[in-house]
Amino acid sequence: DAEITQSPRHKITETGRQVTLACHQTWNHNNMFWYRQDLGHGLRLIHYSYGVHDTNKGEVSDGYSVSRSNTEDLPLTLESAASSQTSVYFCASSTSGTGELFFGEGSRLTVL
Amino acid sequence: GNSVTQMEGPVTLSEEAFLTINCTYTATGYPSLFWYVQYPGEGLQLLLKATKADDKGSNKGFEATYRKETTSFHLEKGSVQVSDSAVYFCALGPGNNRKLIWGLGTSLAVNP
């Protein structure tokens, strides 16, 4: 079965370190998204991509970057982790036109 | 701009009670509307959707009707179960349906 997987599922890091969260989907979806989920803020869009070599900033993109070198993967990089980036991160993918997003199980990141 | 407003939680009900979670929206054009559910420790998954006015989406005993005159998409279930305990998100899809606008989520706890 097609799926979307995130790794690591849990990560503890220190302020200032670079962190990369992986997202891999086997749906062959063009669209991929990274969200963060925080209490009181719901889901906030960090970055998204509509295809290979396409990346776009979401509403909370500062301090984050993504790259899309193939259809299956959209890694999220925190260049210099900050305590404010402690959160649960979700990757999602979709085909164009349906509006249905398929979510990974999330990556819980703690920045000390 | 487009926006979604959900009733604040948490909502606590006894098993077999009737559930309503309110969702209203503002939008230009003719968006699709969605309800997603997030069970504890998991990613979000699509619960139901409606793509045009007066459409009713339904799944797992949940229903929601796309009401253009009241700009609403309220989620209802006639008899909730403990297994329905989750966070419910209302979302609105812009014309291309590739990027969703999210409500803040409503937490539901169902007690035996």
Side-chain angles (χ1 to χ4, degrees):
Chain A
D1 284 347
E3 60 181 4
I4 180 166
T5 56
Q6 294 184 231
S7 62
R9 295 291 312 280
H10 301 273
K11 173 83 175 175
I12 300 174
T13 191
E14 295 177 343
T15 301
R17 291 193 179 266
Q18 183 181 81
V19 175
T20 296
L21 305 179
C23 176
H24 178 81
Q25 53 99 2
T26 59
W27 299 97
N28 200 35
H29 287 164
N30 288 327
N31 309 320
M32 296 185 73
F33 307 83
W34 273 106
Y35 291 92
R36 58 178 290 174
Q37 184 178 28
D38 304 285
L39 201 60
H41 292 278
L43 287 175
R44 291 184 288 176
L45 184 62
I46 306 171
H47 281 286
Y48 57 102
S49 168
Y50 289 153
V52 177
H53 303 310
D54 176 74
T55 61
N56 305 280
K57 294 182 179 180
E59 58 185 303
V60 290
S61 60
D62 286 350
Y64 303 94
S65 63
V66 294
S67 61
R68 187 92 179 268
S69 58
N70 58 53
T71 300
E72 295 80 15
D73 299 291
L74 188 70
L76 177 71
T77 298
L78 289 67
E79 301 292 343
S80 177
S83 57
S84 60
Q85 294 176 309
T86 292
S87 185
V88 181
Y89 292 87
F90 286 98
C91 180
S93 70
S94 75
T95 60
S96 298
T98 68
E100 179 175 1
L101 294 184
F102 293 83
F103 281 81
E105 294 191 334
S107 295
R108 182 177 294 275
L109 176 67
T110 302
V111 182
L112 301 177
Chain B
N2 295 349
S3 67
V4 173
T5 303
Q6 281 183 243
M7 65 184 285
E8 290 188 20
V11 174
T12 302
L13 295 173
S14 298
E15 207 164 23
E16 299 184 2
F18 185 85
L19 168 71
T20 299
I21 300 178
N22 291 336
C23 172
T24 58
Y25 68 91
T26 58
T28 55
Y30 304 96
S32 296
L33 295 169
F34 306 85
W35 277 102
Y36 280 78
V37 59
Q38 183 181 29
Y39 298 106
E42 299 184 9
L44 284 73
Q45 57 186 275
L46 179 66
L47 179 60
L48 54 85
K49 68 178 182 181
T51 58
K52 61 183 186 295
D54 299 325
D55 266 2
K56 178 185 283 187
S58 61
N59 186 25
K60 299 182 180 180
F62 291 89
E63 294 183 339
T65 301
Y66 189 157
R67 303 278 188 203
K68 199 166 177 65
E69 64 276 14
T70 56
T71 61
S72 65
F73 193 56
H74 304 322
L75 183 68
E76 296 181 335
K77 186 175 185 182
S79 176
V80 294
Q81 305 301 311
V82 172
S83 57
D84 294 325
S85 298
V87 180
Y88 294 82
F89 291 88
C90 185
L92 178 154
N96 63 6
N97 280 342
R98 292 195 290 185
K99 197 155 56 111
L100 299 184
I101 309 299
W102 296 91
L104 293 182
T106 302
S107 175
L108 170 66
V110 180
N111 298 320

